[in-house]
Amino acid sequence: MSLAIIGGTGALDLFDVLEHRRVESPYGAASATLARIDLDNGGAWFLARHGRPHRIPPHRINYRANIDALHRLGVAQIVAINAVGSMDPDHAAGALVVPDQLIDYTWGRRHTFSDDDITPLQHVEFAQPFSESLRRALLESATAVGQSCVDGGCMAVTQGPRLETAAEIRRLGRDGCNLVGMTAMPEAALAREAGMDYASLCVVANAAAGLEDEPISEAAIHRVLADAMQNVRQVLHALHT
């Protein structure tokens, strides 16, 4: 089975689970037991990024163990589901976006396999952080099921778990970002080091800080995501890689 989906804990409830499997990794414990799920186009592995129940903040996720566990299961392609804020007024809450670039603003995360005696030092090429073929497959799947999906965008990956200040969002916009999330790095880079294709299917949960008159409500974010995840489910069921 070559496909895996990494998403929030609630995303697993979208799929029928066929089995659970725990995989040992020299990098420690993965966020959760891996679940084999049933898709219309075949099976895939699912990993709950924040654990089950949802408890691990973005900066404390063991990204290395997660990617290594999937690699040990023979996964070659990873679709990451990321909830994001948007700096683009054309992105309504609930919109789906398949970004093509990112900027990493995180710190202190174990961001490479090449910092111990387990893996030899490697300098991976990362100019295009997302697999173009997997991006195309996601966009084609969205079209096939009648879902609107934005092609391209630059995601700022921030430390979290707090949301950003309005001034930080203005800075990210000046840097060229139009999306902001907390979990794509070092996930994407580790997948590249492991030789796995990686693409992100972003769900716009809210307008980024300072872009609307009202404060960002966590309850409102959860409502948007609950509705949008049904659209994500359709796209993933139609995915052909």
Side-chain angles (χ1 to χ4, degrees), residues 87-138:
M87 289 84 100
D88 189 331
D90 291 334
H91 294 164
L96 302 183
V97 185
V98 179
D100 59 349
Q101 276 297 332
L102 62 78
I103 300 178
D104 185 10
Y105 297 91
T106 66
W107 69 90
R109 302 184 183 190
R110 303 296 293 272
H111 65 277
T112 178
F113 292 116
S114 299
D115 65 354
D116 49 38
D117 296 331
I118 299 175
T119 303
L121 176 63
Q122 57 176 331
H123 302 280
V124 294
E125 199 279 337
F126 203 56
Q128 306 301 324
F130 301 108
S131 162
E132 186 60 23
S133 61
L134 192 51
R135 287 185 66 254
R136 288 290 128 206
L138 283 168

Side-chain angles (χ1 to χ4, degrees), residues 11 14-15 81 92-97 138 141-149 201-204 223-239:
L14 301 172
F15 307 102
I81 304 172
L96 302 183
V97 185
L138 283 168
S141 297
T143 299
V145 296
Q147 290 293 339
S148 176
C149 193
L201 180 58
C202 291
V203 182
V204 175
R223 286 195 297 271
V224 169
L225 293 178
D227 292 339
M229 282 301 171
Q230 296 303 321
N231 300 334
V232 169
R233 179 181 182 277
Q234 291 183 34
V235 172
L236 294 176
H237 269 285
L239 181 63

